[in-house]
Amino acid sequence: MTAIVVVGAQWGDEGKGKIVDLVAERADVVVRYGGGANAGHTLKVNGQKVVTHLLPSGVLHPTTRCVLGAGMVIDPKVLLEEILDIEGRGLSVRSRITISGRAHATLPFQAAIDRAANAGPRAIGTTGRGIGPTYSDKSARVGVRLGDLVSSTRARSALEALVDAYKWRARAVGAAEPSVDEALAFLEPLMRDIQPLLGDTSLLVDRALRDNERVVFEGAQGTLLDLDHGTYPFVTSSNTVAGGACTGTGIGPTRIDAVFGITKAYCTRVGHGPFPSELHGTAGDSLREAGEEYGATTGRPRRCGWLDLPALRYAVRVNGLTALAVTKLDILSGYDEIPVCTQYRVDGELTAELPVDDLDRAEPVFERFTGWKEAISSARALGDLPASARAYITMIEERVETRIAMVSVGAERAETIVLGDPFARAR
Ligand code: IMP
């Protein structure tokens, strides 16, 4: 048995989609355990670009079984559109996916209230997909679960509690008040397609692990967007860290063998919130253009900056990373020197630990590393890289004391240097 969790080690958009897709080649089951259609996992296969928001990236491997776990929030309309899109590419999907009836449904009025609340000086800069409202309704115990969509009677009764709870909220932000009839009219045409896909996903994953199958838990967003351990309040509303794989799936922590963190060779962030190593002006613009750093879900330009080692060490700690993949190394070709944030200065004091609650007051302290001029996308082994690119990888490995198992040098599946087995057991 090998169970591996794959998580983003920064603010999301680290290129998890490509890495999970590669790892999924050897997996029997791929599980999404948290988040919803706020995620956008971009995959490039044979020159074709595919973006998944809800389906695990493993869906592109025709025999991999896919699970959408209890910790997810699922917009049923987006889910069906995505299934139809992948089926349109000639892959069967419905026979391979199982969705937890405990996952919560995101309804149009939850997305509308997310967008309405997403303005003004305290805005988080959310994706506007209804993620925050759906998770808060879940915590307030008025949410609608996918398991409620088995009959109109049950769906109506669940909707009554939710719509009731919404009336005052809608008034507070000037949004239209939702109605049970309207929400049911939205859900009813989708219910027939959703019902056959529901199942006991905790039991399914448990059986897969008992049968010695390989299971990959695919994280969404990134460590610093975690509700408890990220840059609160500028975070998403779920636990994006590796521990979320257990609660979001319904398996115990003793079942996880390895945790694989994904980091870009630099940093990006979308939405508001602190980002100490951010590059402003033309320097940030040119990194954004070189890396095509625009949100896969919203198309928003991503904020760009240099690699932040204290933040990466923090990700190693809070996720218990056993190995790392470094993505987009090719985007750094062409620089004479590459600055890397190795410490912060907070109120005049130097620290190498991430002051996650004081990050807006942390000034980055940079060290400079020698760059390289060559394009590197054809490299398939470390030895194919220029010496300074190799040194950059070794520097990361040493400074965060974590083995690097993969280096991505381009968007295509093949453009990857595989250095070790990400499935290698931690214990
Ligand atoms: P929400 O998850 O839509 O509520 O957005 C909360 C914050 O998380 C915002 O800053 C979003 O930009 C960010 N966010 C949510 N999902 C992703 C993602 O998949 N990649 C990167 N940032 C994300």
Side-chain angles (χ1 to χ4, degrees), residues 205-217:
V205 172
D206 177 66
R207 287 195 174 140
L209 292 172
R210 281 171 197 271
D211 289 345
N212 284 319
E213 293 192 302
R214 284 180 180 225
V215 180
V216 175
F217 298 87

Side-chain angles (χ1 to χ4, degrees), residues 11-13 38-40 124-128 131-132 221 225 235-236 270-272 300:
W11 279 280
D13 307 317
N38 48 349
I124 304 292
T126 73
T127 59
I131 306 302
Q221 292 81 47
L225 291 176
V235 292
T236 190
V270 272
H272 308 313
R300 290 180 291 177

Side-chain angles (χ1 to χ4, degrees), residues 341-356:
C341 170
T342 52
Q343 299 185 79
Y344 300 114
R345 189 171 283 110
V346 186
D347 300 333
E349 299 279 319
L350 283 178
T351 174
E353 299 301 332
L354 185 83
V356 73

Side-chain angles (χ1 to χ4, degrees), residues 67-363:
V67 167
L68 285 78
M72 286 190 75
V73 291
I74 297 175
D75 180 329
K77 188 159 178 274
V78 173
L79 177 68
L80 281 178
E81 283 166 2
E82 211 165 286
I83 291 174
L84 289 172
D85 175 39
I86 310 263
E87 284 179 344
R89 296 168 194 265
L91 283 171
S92 74
V93 177
R94 289 171 219 241
S95 56
R96 295 188 287 130
I97 67 171
T98 310
I99 307 173
S100 170
R102 294 177 187 160
H104 279 245
T106 296
L107 297 160
F109 59 85
Q110 289 166 309
I113 211 133
D114 184 14
R115 289 191 290 271
N118 205 8
R122 288 168 60 198
I124 304 292
T126 73
T127 59
R129 298 296 169 106
I131 306 302
T134 312
Y135 277 116
S136 20
D137 296 332
K138 168 179 166 173
S139 296
R141 292 153 295 184
V142 291
V144 172
R145 308 208 288 184
L146 291 198
D148 292 319
L149 307 186
V150 289
S151 73
S152 295
T153 320
R154 189 156 154 197
R156 179 176 282 280
S157 138
L159 279 167
E160 274 163 1
L162 182 62
V163 165
D164 236 25
Y166 257 75
K167 291 202 164 136
W168 66 268
R169 278 177 91 177
R171 263 179 246 136
V173 295
E177 279 186 29
S179 95
V180 172
D181 288 338
E182 255 174 46
L184 203 57
F186 164 78
L187 285 173
E188 269 174 336
L190 307 167
M191 279 164 50
R192 209 181 20 177
D193 286 299
I194 300 279
Q195 273 173 31
L197 307 178
L198 300 179
D200 187 336
T201 47
S202 158
L203 188 63
L204 184 158
V205 172
D206 177 66
R207 287 195 174 140
L209 292 172
R210 281 171 197 271
D211 289 345
N212 284 319
E213 293 192 302
R214 284 180 180 225
V215 180
V216 175
F217 298 87
E218 174 181 352
Q221 292 81 47
T223 301
L224 293 165
L225 291 176
D226 183 274
L227 181 59
D228 294 303
H229 303 289
T231 52
Y232 190 88
F234 300 101
V235 292
T236 190
S237 300
S238 59
N239 283 116
T240 58
V241 296
C246 296
T247 51
T249 307
I251 55 143
T254 49
R255 311 297 292 282
I256 304 293
D257 295 297
V259 184
F260 196 23
I262 318 297
T263 176
K264 272 182 193 157
Y266 50 97
C267 271
T268 62
R269 169 165 207 170
V270 272
H272 308 313
F275 180 4
S277 65
E278 182 168 11
L279 274 166
H280 299 280
T282 50
D285 294 344
S286 62
L287 193 50
R288 180 178 312 110
E289 291 315 312
E292 295 178 37
E293 297 294 354
Y294 293 89
T297 298
T298 58
R300 290 180 291 177
R302 294 180 184 142
R303 300 157 64 192
C304 296
W306 300 119
L307 184 64
D308 184 329
L309 288 179
L312 192 53
R313 265 197 305 275
Y314 178 77
V316 170
R317 165 159 49 105
V318 297
N319 293 295
L321 298 185
T322 53
L324 270 171
V326 177
T327 62
K328 295 193 128 175
L329 186 67
D330 52 306
I331 304 303
L332 293 185
S333 288
Y335 288 95
D336 291 328
E337 282 189 322
I338 303 171
V340 171
C341 170
T342 52
Q343 299 185 79
Y344 300 114
R345 189 171 283 110
V346 186
D347 300 333
E349 299 279 319
L350 283 178
T351 174
E353 299 301 332
L354 185 83
V356 73
D357 302 318
D358 295 312
L359 208 51
D360 47 353
R361 290 189 293 121
E363 289 166 47

